[in-house]
C-alpha cells in the first residue's frame, strides 16, 4: 500500500531511454497545450450539460482554469519537474468542494475527467504517430495519465465529501436549534422561527406534535431513522422528534415505522407556538410509562391518556386530597382496608349500583352490601355528598393506577 501511495504522489525517477522518449514527447506536446486545453473545454461544454454556461463568464473561467491545471499537473508529473504534488491535490480538493457547493453530484465531474483524458489521448496518439515514436512510449504515457486521472478523482472526492459533511453538519445544527425554538417556553416570535426554518430548509407546517424517545443506553444502530421532513435530535437522555402536520395522511404510520418499537410518547397536536406543551405532555407520558402507570407498548399517544395525565399532573395535590377524603380508612386494618377501598372505587364508578359492583368484583352481592355498611360506618354522611364522592373517586383512581412500588 505504501509503495502504491508513493507511485501515485511522486514523479517517475531515473534516466532511462523510455523517460528520454517521454521527455521528447512532452517537448513536442508543450506548444499544443493551449490548443488541447481549448479543445477539452469545448468538448466538456458541448457534451456535458452541467458545464454548459456560455453566458456565465466567471464560471467558464473556472472551467478553463480547471482543465489547464489538470493538464499542467499531468505534464509536471510526467516530466518530474519537482512540482509540489500536495498543492496539486489541494487544487482538486477545492474543485470537489466547489462541486458540492454547486449542488451537483460528482458524476458530471468524473464524466469531464474521462472526456478530457480521451481528447488528450487522441492528440498525443497523433503526435506519437507523426514523430514515429515506439508504441511503448504511448503505453507509458497512458499509464501515467490514468494514474493522474485516478489521483484527481480521489482528491476531488475528498474535497466533495468534506464539503457535503460540513454542509450536513451546519444544516443539522440549524435544525437542532429550530427544535429549541419550536419547544421554547415561553414561545419565541413567529418571525424568528420562520427565519431559522428557511435556513434549515424546513417548510413551516400549520401544526406540530413532539415525540420524545427513551433511548438511554441504546447504541446508535437502534436509534430512529426518521423521514427527512421530521426534525430530530438524539444527543440527550431523551430523543426529540418534531412531526410536522401530524394529522396528515400517512403521518401516524411514518412515526410508528421510524420508532420501530422504541419506547416513546407522542404529545398532542398543537399550533407552531405551543410546541413546549406537546413536549411537556410527551415527557410526562413517557415518565408514566417508565413507572408502569401507562402501558409499555412502544409508542404511547397522549391523546389516549388525557385523564391519567391530568391525575398525575400534581401528585402531591392528589396525595393531599387522598389524606383529606380517604383518611378514615387508615383506621381499618390491612387487608380489609384495601378491600374496602376497592369496593368504594367500584361503587362510585358504577353509579352506586351494588349488583353491578358485585359482578365487577366477582363477589357475592351480600359481600358488597356488608362492605358498604362498613364504609358507612367509616365515612358516615360524606358518602352522600356528591362533591366528596367525586374527590374520593379522583384520589382512589390515582392510587389504583400507581404501581405498588410507588
Amino acid at each position: 500500500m505504501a509503495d502504491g501511495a508513493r507511485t501515485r504522489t511522486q514523479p517517475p525517477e531515473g534516466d532511462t531511454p523510455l523517460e528520454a522518449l517521454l521527455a521528447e514527447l512532452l517537448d513536442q506536446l508543450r506548444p499544443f497545450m493551449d490548443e488541447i486545453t481549448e479543445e477539452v473545454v469545448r468538448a466538456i461544454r458541448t457534451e456535458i450539460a452541467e458545464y454548459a454556461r456560455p453566458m456565465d463568464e466567471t464560471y467558464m473561467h473556472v472551467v478553463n482554469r480547471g482543465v489547464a491545471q489538470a493538464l499542467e499537473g499531468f505534464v509536471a508529473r510526467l516530466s518530474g519537474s519537482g512540482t509540489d504534488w500536495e498543492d496539486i491535490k489541494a487544487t482538486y480538493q477545492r474543485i470537489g468542494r466547489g462541486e458540492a457547493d454547486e449542488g451537483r453530484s460528482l458524476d458530471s465531474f468524473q464524466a469531464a475527467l474521462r472526456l478530457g483524458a480521451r481528447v488528450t489521448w487522441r492528440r498525443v496518439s497523433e503526435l506519437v504517430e507523426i514523430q514515429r515514436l515506439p508504441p511503448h512510449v504511448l503505453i507509458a504515457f497512458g499509464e501515467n495519465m490514468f494514474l493522474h486521472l485516478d489521483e484527481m478523482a480521489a482528491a476531488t472526492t475528498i474535497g466533495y465529501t468534506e464539503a457535503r459533511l460540513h454542509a450536513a453538519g451546519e444544516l443539522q445544527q440549524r435544525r437542532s436549534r429550530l427544535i429549541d425554538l419550536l419547544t421554547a417556553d415561553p414561545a419565541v416570535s413567529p418571525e424568528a422561527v420562520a427565519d431559522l426554518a428557511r435556513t434549515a430548509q424546513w417548510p413551516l407546517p400549520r401544526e406540530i406534535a413532539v415525540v420524545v424517545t427513551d433511548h438511554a443506553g441504546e447504541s446508535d444502530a437502534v436509534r430512529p431513522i426518521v423521514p427527512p421532513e421530521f426534525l430530530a435530535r438524539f444527543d440527550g437522555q431523551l430523543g426529540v422528534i418534531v412531526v410536522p402536520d401530524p394529522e396528515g395522511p400517512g403521518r401516524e404510520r411514518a412515526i410508528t415505522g421510524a420508532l420501530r418499537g422504541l419506547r416513546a410518547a407522542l404529545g398532542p397536536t398543537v399550533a407552531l407556538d405551543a410546541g413546549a406543551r406537546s413536549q411537556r405532555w410527551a415527557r410526562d407520558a413517557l415518565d408514566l410509562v417508565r413507572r408502569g402507570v401507562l402501558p409499555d407498548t412502544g409508542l404511547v399517544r397522549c391523546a389516549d391518556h388525557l385523564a391519567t395525565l391530568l391525575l398525575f399532573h400534581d401528585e402531591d395535590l392528589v396525595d393531599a386530597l387522598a389524606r383529606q377524603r380517604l383518611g378514615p380508612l387508615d383506621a381499618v386494618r390491612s387487608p380489609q382496608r384495601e378491600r374496602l377501598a376497592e369496593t368504594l372505587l367500584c361503587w362510585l364508578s358504577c353509579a352506586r349500583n351494588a349488583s353491578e359492583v358485585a359482578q365487577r368484583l366477582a363477589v357475592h352481592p351480600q359481600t358488597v352490601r356488608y362492605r358498604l355498611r362498613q364504609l358507612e360506618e367509616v365515612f358516615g354522611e360524606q358518602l352522600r355528598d356528591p362533591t366528596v364522592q367525586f374527590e374520593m373517586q379522583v384520589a382512589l383512581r390515582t392510587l389504583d393506577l400507581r404501581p405498588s412500588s410507588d
Side-chain angles (χ1 to χ4, degrees):
M1 181 66 72
D3 291 341
R6 283 195 295 271
T7 300
R8 289 175 176 271
T9 59
Q10 297 177 0
E13 297 179 356
D15 186 13
T16 66
L18 175 59
E19 290 187 354
L21 290 171
L22 284 173
E24 180 183 343
L25 177 60
L26 287 177
D27 288 341
Q28 297 293 329
L29 183 63
R30 281 190 178 93
F32 299 98
M33 290 299 295
D34 290 344
E35 184 180 328
I36 294 174
T37 299
E38 292 177 4
E39 186 175 347
V40 170
V41 170
R42 187 164 54 251
I44 290 173
R45 290 173 55 184
T46 302
E47 299 186 29
I48 303 177
E50 290 283 0
Y51 295 101
R53 300 189 190 179
M55 304 304 294
D56 190 338
E57 294 184 5
T58 301
Y59 186 77
M60 292 318 302
H61 173 75
V62 171
V63 174
N64 276 271
R65 184 58 186 154
V67 173
Q69 286 178 328
L71 291 172
E72 289 167 5
F74 173 60
V75 169
R77 170 191 214 96
L78 203 59
S79 64
S81 61
T83 302
D84 190 336
W85 300 100
E86 293 304 319
D87 283 350
I88 295 175
K89 283 185 176 181
T91 296
Y92 300 146
Q93 288 175 10
R94 285 195 296 272
I95 291 174
R97 288 192 288 271
E99 292 295 292
D101 292 342
E102 287 281 339
R104 290 190 291 266
S105 72
L106 282 181
D107 293 344
S108 296
F109 179 77
Q110 291 170 347
L113 285 182
R114 292 191 294 269
L115 183 56
R118 191 165 70 245
V119 172
T120 305
W121 178 262
R122 184 172 64 246
R123 293 301 301 270
V124 171
S125 299
E126 293 171 358
L127 283 173
V128 168
E129 185 176 349
I130 292 172
Q131 298 300 318
R132 301 183 182 279
L133 295 175
H136 63 272
V137 175
L138 186 60
I139 293 173
F141 183 92
E143 288 177 348
N144 280 275
M145 183 173 67
F146 287 113
L147 179 62
H148 189 65
L149 200 69
D150 285 345
E151 279 201 352
M152 290 169 60
T156 307
T157 299
I158 290 173
Y160 183 88
T161 303
E162 289 177 350
R164 290 293 298 270
L165 289 174
H166 180 72
E170 286 191 343
L171 185 63
Q172 182 56 40
Q173 287 179 359
R174 294 191 188 106
R175 291 191 163 206
S176 180
R177 175 59 181 154
L178 185 55
I179 292 175
D180 292 335
L181 295 193
L182 289 169
T183 58
D185 188 15
V188 301
S189 69
E191 293 77 15
V193 172
D195 288 344
L196 186 55
R198 183 171 57 255
T199 61
Q201 300 176 25
W202 192 70
L204 279 177
R206 294 181 58 187
E207 297 176 314
I208 59 173
V210 179
V211 177
V212 294
T213 67
D214 191 356
H215 63 275
E218 301 286 356
S219 66
D220 290 342
V222 299
R223 292 184 183 181
I225 301 175
V226 302
E229 65 269 23
F230 291 8
L231 299 176
R233 184 173 61 207
F234 303 105
D235 55 359
Q237 194 74 1
L238 294 178
V240 180
I241 303 172
V242 175
V243 182
D245 293 324
E247 306 301 326
R251 275 293 190 258
E252 183 173 345
R253 184 170 61 253
I255 297 169
T256 304
L259 294 171
R260 296 177 295 169
L262 193 66
R263 179 189 288 167
L266 171 64
T269 297
V270 295
L272 273 176
D273 61 354
R277 172 158 51 92
S278 185
Q279 183 182 50
R280 183 175 66 252
W281 289 16
R283 284 180 171 176
D284 290 346
L286 193 60
D287 181 60
L288 293 178
V289 171
R290 290 200 197 101
R291 292 172 54 187
V293 175
L294 292 180
D296 191 358
T297 55
L299 179 65
V300 173
R301 295 165 178 79
C302 289
D304 298 336
H305 304 281
L306 296 180
T308 302
L309 288 169
L310 177 62
L311 291 176
F312 283 83
H313 180 66
D314 191 333
E315 293 185 68
D316 290 337
L317 187 59
V318 173
D319 287 341
L321 182 64
R323 286 191 296 271
Q324 181 182 45
R325 294 309 181 194
L326 305 177
L329 279 176
D330 292 340
V332 181
R333 291 182 179 180
S334 184
Q336 182 66 10
R337 180 174 60 248
E338 286 74 21
R339 287 196 290 266
L340 288 180
E342 180 187 38
T343 302
L344 178 57
L345 175 60
C346 192
W347 181 69
L348 292 170
S349 303
C350 296
R352 298 169 294 285
N353 186 315
S355 299
E356 186 175 349
V357 172
Q359 186 176 2
R360 288 196 182 188
L361 296 180
V363 297
H364 195 279
Q366 186 63 31
T367 301
V368 173
R369 285 190 283 271
Y370 171 70
R371 292 179 185 176
L372 290 176
R373 285 195 296 272
Q374 288 183 296
L375 289 169
E376 284 274 1
E377 294 174 5
V378 171
F379 291 102
E381 289 298 318
Q382 293 186 75
L383 286 182
R384 296 176 180 80
D385 187 326
T387 300
V388 174
Q389 290 176 357
F390 170 74
E391 292 175 351
M392 282 181 169
Q393 187 171 2
V394 168
L396 287 166
R397 179 70 62 187
T398 306
L399 296 174
D400 183 58
L401 286 171
R402 284 180 182 169
S404 56
S405 59
D406 283 2

